[in-house]
Structure formats: C-alpha cells, structure tokens
Amino acid sequence: MKLQEYIPRLSRKQKLVRNLLAAAMCLFLLEWMMGFPCLTAEGLLRRAERMYLMEGTELLYDGQERGAGGVCWPTVYGRAGDTLLAVRYGRSPLGRQLMTAELYREPDNIYCFRQMNFFGELPLQVLAFGDLREAARTEMECTVEVTAGVGDVKRTLLRETYAAEGEWAAPGAVAFTLTPRYGEEDTSEAAVTERRLFGGEVAAQNYEAVLRLYDESGRLLHEKQVEVLEEESYGW
C-alpha cells in the first residue's frame, strides 16, 4: 500500500492554513537565529536599556546615512538621565540588529566626536549630541596638529584651527563640517599637509575642540572644551 493512501487529503483552505503556519514557523526561527531584530530606533534603545539595566531612554537622533559594513555603522543616539548612548546596528530584511552599545557620561551631558575618514571619502566631520535643545545656534573651533618625526625629534607640519557653524541633524544632535583653509594653488608645507590630511593620506596627532551654544539673541549659553576629540565609526 502506498504512503499517499495514509495521508489525508486537505482542502484548499486547509492547505492555505498549513502553508501560513509553516511560513510563520520559518519566520520565527529566522528571527530567533538573528537575535530578533528591532523594527524601530526606539526598539534598539529599549534593548540597549535592558543590557545596562537602564530605563527611560530618550531618542535623540537616528543616524542612518551609511549602511552596515560600510565606512561607518548606522547608529542610534539616545539619552537616559545623565548617560548618553550610541547604539550601532546592522540592517537586515527583518529589521535592525544591535551590534554594540556605548555609554558616555559627560559633566554637561554633551558628547563630541569626529567621524572616521577612511581613504579620503569624507570631509572632516564632527557630531555633538546630548543636551542641546536650548541652543538656537552652535559653532565649533577645532585645532588640528600634524607632526613628523619620532620621540623628542618632532617637527610640526601643520597646526591650524578650523571654525564651523553647526547644522542640526535633530533637536538633540548637531553636525559640523570642517573645510580647508589653504587654497589649491598654495604650495607651502602647511598647505600640502592640509590637503593630505583632508584627503585621508596623513593622520593628525591631536584634535582639540571648543563647542559653543548660543540662544536666539546670540548670547553664549554654554562653552565646552574637548581636549581630545575621539574618532568613532558611528554613522549619521
């Protein structure tokens, strides 16, 4: 006797229900294998909260400019009281997969960093996020130093301060783009070094920054000194 004779025949509706149940089971298994990706930026923050036993995290900015695996990872920025979060994630067909979550605690609850500049693909960019909502205008001065040599035998090739007006990415995040000061026709050592720096050919030995926040009348609300401007592979 053939095996088919023992298997009951299903109606069209029964086959449809069977196929839907099988698809749901496959989807659940796939979600489980991928760690149950989040559908929203808020969902990523909730998951990061649980990792660090936090609560009440506010979404400041959802940086999605660059895709996973590129120069920078997409990043969600949040705030939980006096703690700032930067949550890297990867994209998948089922949602956003949490990669890493970094926490920052600053006296003024504002964190500044510069974005990695691989192969000269990006201009020099800085992002500040945190307690910025009271500011109507922002500006940043960034002092960059490039040296040559080792040990006590060093020579300064470039030391310049670049000023940039902030562009709001969100109420809680502002971006700054630094632009060269020397013209293309300038052949001085500092000018050549600057072009190589902005082209990603050389690295600066130090980045210092001053962030200033102003109200609508132009009154200075806050000034933040950053002695070492860290480089991060966050996207925005």
Side-chain angles (χ1 to χ4, degrees):
M1 187 173 294
K2 296 181 179 181
L3 180 61
Q4 290 85 348
E5 296 180 5
Y6 290 96
I7 301 176
R9 292 190 175 184
L10 302 177
S11 66
R12 181 175 298 178
K13 289 185 179 180
Q14 290 173 325
K15 289 180 180 180
L16 178 61
V17 172
R18 178 200 61 189
N19 292 341
L20 289 175
L21 290 175
M25 180 61 69
C26 290
L27 182 61
F28 175 82
L29 290 175
L30 185 59
E31 287 263 5
W32 177 74
M33 292 173 62
M34 299 180 70
F36 294 99
C38 303
L39 297 178
T40 65
E42 289 82 358
L44 278 173
L45 290 179
R46 300 290 86 77
R47 183 161 296 179
E49 278 184 342
R50 292 193 290 272
M51 288 173 56
Y52 291 100
L53 303 178
M54 298 161 53
E55 61 181 10
T57 304
E58 172 191 6
L59 174 64
L60 296 177
Y61 178 48
D62 184 4
Q64 306 183 63
E65 183 178 335
R66 291 183 173 269
V71 174
C72 298
W73 289 95
T75 308
V76 169
Y77 303 91
R79 177 184 60 183
D82 61 353
T83 302
L84 298 172
L85 296 85
V87 183
R88 290 187 183 100
Y89 67 91
R91 293 190 178 93
S92 74
L94 300 177
R96 311 181 193 202
Q97 292 178 277
L98 190 152
M99 307 299 292
T100 61
E102 303 291 339
L103 306 184
Y104 301 98
R105 287 191 172 179
E106 298 285 326
D108 56 1
N109 220 19
I110 299 173
Y111 182 68
C112 305
F113 67 92
R114 55 191 172 89
Q115 196 175 49
M116 284 190 174
N117 184 26
F118 291 113
F119 314 117
E121 291 186 5
L122 297 170
L124 296 181
Q125 293 183 320
V126 178
L127 186 77
F129 71 98
D131 289 343
L132 302 169
R133 296 181 185 277
E134 294 184 3
R137 185 175 68 86
T138 62
E139 66 179 24
M140 174 169 285
E141 289 184 355
C142 185
T143 300
V144 180
E145 184 176 37
V146 180
T147 61
V150 295
D152 296 331
V153 184
K154 288 186 179 180
R155 186 165 59 88
T156 299
L157 303 180
L158 173 71
R159 181 175 175 82
E160 287 290 347
T161 299
Y162 301 92
E165 190 84 7
E167 296 184 6
W168 292 99
V174 62
F176 303 88
T177 300
L178 308 181
T179 56
R181 297 192 61 179
Y182 295 90
E184 289 292 331
E185 71 284 352
D186 195 331
T187 58
S188 65
E189 183 178 67
V192 172
T193 303
E194 182 188 73
R195 286 193 287 274
R196 296 184 66 198
L197 174 68
F198 276 79
E201 298 178 33
V202 298
Q205 279 64 55
N206 190 35
Y207 283 86
E208 299 174 0
V210 180
L211 172 68
R212 297 186 180 93
L213 310 181
Y214 300 90
D215 63 13
E216 293 182 355
S217 66
R219 180 175 62 91
L220 180 65
L221 294 174
H222 178 63
E223 183 174 281
K224 179 184 180 69
Q225 302 277 345
V226 183
E227 294 183 359
V228 179
L229 195 62
E230 299 290 349
E231 186 180 46
E232 301 284 1
S233 59
Y234 297 152
W236 70 73

